Amino acid sequence: MPPHADRAHIHREVQRLRQLATVLDAAFRIPGTKARWGLDALIGLLPVGGTTVMLLPSLYIVWKSWKLGVRGAVLGRMLANVAVETAADLVPVVGDVFDVAFKANLRNVALLEQHLGLTPD
């Protein structure tokens, strides 16, 4: 965590990242199930272009985590989560189902919260 950043600012930043990750990974519920999906799965339906577009907000979450002081192995796990989801997205249909189950963005925010000693609200 950067020495100049106060705890309230960090908490607000993490909360914004959690909201973004929720929109990307779990904004909508599949009727009749507990399964949730987000814009990542929806936009990811577009061949190749959708995957490329959705890579940007995922990398933004990782970049903001780095700016908040995440380093080393945790940052590596975050990048691996993005890489796994991006690679799976390249496979039509299977990648979209994988998106609904894997939720790389929510995983990465959870890693950030754990690293900073925060718990989700």
Side-chain angles (χ1 to χ4, degrees), residues 8 17 28 46 49 90 109 116:
L17 292 175
F28 313 104
L46 301 170
L90 295 175
V109 171
L116 296 175

Side-chain angles (χ1 to χ4, degrees), residues 41-102:
L42 181 65
I43 295 172
L45 289 171
L46 301 170
V48 182
T51 299
T52 304
V53 167
M54 295 316 299
L55 179 61
L56 296 176
S58 294
L59 289 175
Y60 174 78
I61 291 170
V62 175
W63 177 75
K64 286 297 282 186
S65 297
W66 175 74
K67 295 290 279 181
L68 289 169
V70 173
R71 300 284 187 272
V74 176
L75 204 58
R77 284 181 62 193
M78 290 176 157
L79 289 169
N81 286 339
V82 172
V84 166
E85 189 168 85
T86 301
D89 279 349
L90 295 175
V91 180
V93 182
V94 173
D96 299 310
V97 172
F98 185 80
D99 259 352
V100 172
F102 190 68

Side-chain angles (χ1 to χ4, degrees), residues 12-28:
R12 284 190 304 275
E13 287 294 315
V14 172
Q15 189 173 23
R16 280 192 277 270
L17 292 175
R18 177 158 283 287
Q19 289 170 341
L20 173 60
T22 298
V23 168
L24 294 173
D25 290 346
F28 313 104

